[in-house]
């Protein structure tokens, strides 16, 4: 709809948000000039906080600014957090402009409400999240569903009680770890296995697929007291403009036992598999916008289920963030980070970012590096710098105040004492790394 048309939109009454309540909401007519003056202020506040909105959905209504009461506490706090104190104008006559709030990639975040007193912006908040409650414009990614978490992050900085050791680990980190402390890294189409030997991390074995195939993903699968290493192999048919391999056809999954002998091969029923994951003895294959579940039967590994997603998956990390016994599924497509719970009915999306551009690189990790009992999430951006996400009551939030440009943090319990350690890489020539081992 053209601008001239939505500038002439009439009044629409809303039942939940805005100035005061339904009894005081008033119909009003605004001239095109008046609406344009309000819209200019709305555009300014949207740009300031890096939001967008659907101008076709914009409506205006009159009423009174809510009084400071228990019912309006969250609304007033959300506006205050954005720098606009509605308390100072409580009870004043106002005009509220409401519209569909959009992330820059077009995902719907909720409904934004801009409150004007004497023609000037006096308050702003949006209604969204799984609870359809008031949020500050600073809160970009509230929970999309209730995760029923038992604990949240109390981030005060990383522990300082670590021993610093040397070792060897690829700059790209690792993609999976078994219960014995062996991690698998993928480099140049091969799987490299590393473990802590004495006080040094060292490479113990390299698995080269051969046959023109390359490894593109790996996951350890629990099988009784053993852990099988599942490796996804694909055929490289071309390279991109930067010389990076483009995998056009996934061929099979090969499973190795603890002695690194091949014990099974799983032919893929569908092409385009991009990543592996595992929980409770099940193997997960991510294909296009779906997760296929494979289980071991008397006849070998068979696909037992297929669960739909609305995005591709390039990396999968499954962990229990809050320690309540329920596993969280962390997924990325290289653009956004997603958090799921796996229910009997399928995957339930609890939270996600909304970037929609290539921004994340490498594998996903989690670890409790401050000792509060809740794990943080770590993933690198395109510059090789780690982004840390912490679990809060409103959603995951980035916390990078102590992370330097080019620094990579890969958490892992290397020595099996139940306390997370981490491999730390610093920016510089060669990007050297060190092992920060907890003092148990």
């Amino acid at each position: 709809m053209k601008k001239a048309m939505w500038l002439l939109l009439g009044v629409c009454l809303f039942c939940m948000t805005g100035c005061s309540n339904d009894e005081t909401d008033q119909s009003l007519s605004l001239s095109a000039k008046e609406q344009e003056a309000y819209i200019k202020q709305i555009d300014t506040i949207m740009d300031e906080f890096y939001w967008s909105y659907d101008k076709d959905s914009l409506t205006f209504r009159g009423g009174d600014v809510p009084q400071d009461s228990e019912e309006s506490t969250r609304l007033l706090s959300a506006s205050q957090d954005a720098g606009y104190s509605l308390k100072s104008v409580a009870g004043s006559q106002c005009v509220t402009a409401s519209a569909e709030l959009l992330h820059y990639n077009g995902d719907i975040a909720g409904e934004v409400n801009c409150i004007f007193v004497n023609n000037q912006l006096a308050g702003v908040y949006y209604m969204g999240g799984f609870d359809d409650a008031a949020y500050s414009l600073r809160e970009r990614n509230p929970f999309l569903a209730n995760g029923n978490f038992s604990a949240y992050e109390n981030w005060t900085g990383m522990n300082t009680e670590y021993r610093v050791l040397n070792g060897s680990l690829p700059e790209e980190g690792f993609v999976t770890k078994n219960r014995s402390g062996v991690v698998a890294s993928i480099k140049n189409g091969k799987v490299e296995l590393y473990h802590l030997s004495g006080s040094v991390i060292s490479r113990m074995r390299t698995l080269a697929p051969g046959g023109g195939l390359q490894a593109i993903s790996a996951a350890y699968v629990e099988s009784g007291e053993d852990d099988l290493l599942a490796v996804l192999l694909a055929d490289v048919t071309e390279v991109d403009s930067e010389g990076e391999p483009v995998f056009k056809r996934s061929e099979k999954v090969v499973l190795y036992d603890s002695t690194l002998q091949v014990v099974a091969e799983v032919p893929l029923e569908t092409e385009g598999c991009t990543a592996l994951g595992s929980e409770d003895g099940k193997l997960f294959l991510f294909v296009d916008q779906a997760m296929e579940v494979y289980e071991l039967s008397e006849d070998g590994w068979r696909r037992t289920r297929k669960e739909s997603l609305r995005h591709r998956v390039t990396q999968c990390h499954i962990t229990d963030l809050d320690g309540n016994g329920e596993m969280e599924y962390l997924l990325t497509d290289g653009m956004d980070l997603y958090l799921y719970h796996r229910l009997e009915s399928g995957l339930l999306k609890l939270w996600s970012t909304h970037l929609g551009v290539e921004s994340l690189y490498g594998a996903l990790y989690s670890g409790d590096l401050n000792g509060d009992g809740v794990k943080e999430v770590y993933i690198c951006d395109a510059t090789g710098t780690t982004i840390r996400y912490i679990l809060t009551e409103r959603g995951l939030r980035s916390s990078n105040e102590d992370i330097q440009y080019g620094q990579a943090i890969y958490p892992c319990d290397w020595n099996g004492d139940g306390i997370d350690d981490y491999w730390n890489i610093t920016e510089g020539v060669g990007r050297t790394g060190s092992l920060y081992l907890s003092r148990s």
Side-chain angles (χ1 to χ4, degrees), residues 48-62:
E48 179 182 348
F49 286 95
Y50 302 98
W51 288 99
S52 184
Y53 69 102
D54 180 6
K55 292 186 177 180
D56 289 345
S57 68
L58 183 64
T59 58
F60 295 91
R61 66 184 184 278

Side-chain angles (χ1 to χ4, degrees), residues 160-406:
T160 58
E161 297 297 317
Y162 288 100
R163 291 179 291 153
V164 183
L165 307 175
N166 297 320
S168 174
L169 194 69
E171 177 182 331
E172 296 81 4
F174 57 91
V175 295
T176 186
K177 170 183 173 294
N178 69 9
R179 289 174 289 182
S180 299
V182 177
V183 304
S185 177
I186 295 178
K187 186 175 182 180
N188 299 326
K190 301 176 182 179
V191 180
E192 297 182 344
L193 303 178
Y194 294 80
H195 70 149
L196 180 64
S197 177
S199 59
V200 177
I201 294 178
S202 59
R203 185 172 60 187
M204 53 184 292
R205 184 77 178 271
T206 297
L207 301 175
L213 301 178
Q214 294 195 23
I216 62 172
S217 184
Y220 276 107
V221 184
E222 294 186 6
S223 178
E225 296 182 356
D226 199 5
D227 287 335
L228 303 179
L229 176 61
V231 180
L232 174 62
L233 301 180
D235 180 28
V236 181
T237 58
E238 61 182 66
V239 296
D240 62 19
S241 58
E242 297 180 355
E244 294 296 321
V246 177
F247 303 99
K248 287 295 185 180
R249 186 176 65 254
S250 302
E251 291 285 349
K252 59 184 176 180
V253 175
V254 177
L255 290 104
Y256 300 85
D257 64 14
S258 57
T259 65
L260 300 181
Q261 299 298 310
V262 176
V263 294
E265 290 190 2
V266 183
L268 302 182
E269 297 187 20
T270 50
E271 295 183 356
C273 183
T274 54
L276 299 179
S278 179
E279 184 201 5
D280 195 27
K282 298 180 178 64
L283 180 63
F284 306 130
L285 276 67
F286 293 92
V287 184
D288 294 328
Q289 296 188 11
M291 183 178 84
E292 298 182 348
V293 183
Y294 281 73
E295 298 183 61
L296 182 61
S297 67
E298 293 181 355
D299 299 324
W301 290 87
R302 294 290 181 268
R303 189 176 71 178
T304 59
R305 186 166 179 169
K306 185 174 182 178
E307 302 179 10
S308 296
L309 299 166
R310 292 189 175 183
H311 58 86
R312 296 175 68 253
V313 175
T314 57
Q315 299 288 339
C316 169
H317 178 68
I318 302 172
T319 188
D320 182 3
L321 291 177
D322 57 341
N324 67 350
E326 183 171 8
M327 305 300 283
E328 277 73 53
Y329 284 55
L330 291 155
L331 309 175
T332 183
D333 56 1
M335 295 184 289
D336 285 290
L337 178 62
Y338 302 86
L339 176 65
Y340 287 86
H341 274 165
R342 186 165 180 263
L343 311 177
E344 291 185 3
S345 56
L347 289 170
L348 172 65
K349 185 163 74 171
L350 304 179
W351 174 91
S352 78
T353 57
H354 303 271
L355 299 175
V357 294
E358 292 290 342
S359 57
L360 302 177
Y361 171 80
L364 283 158
Y365 307 88
S366 64
D368 179 14
L369 299 185
N370 68 334
D372 69 345
V374 179
K375 293 182 179 181
E376 310 92 54
V377 178
Y378 296 84
I379 187 171
C380 287
D381 64 15
T383 71
T385 304
T386 286
I387 305 174
R388 177 195 295 119
Y389 288 94
I390 60 176
L391 185 66
T392 76
E393 293 180 305
R394 299 289 185 89
L396 270 68
R397 175 177 66 82
S398 62
S399 179
N400 273 42
E401 297 81 2
D402 60 331
I403 297 177
Q404 304 300 314
Y405 177 84

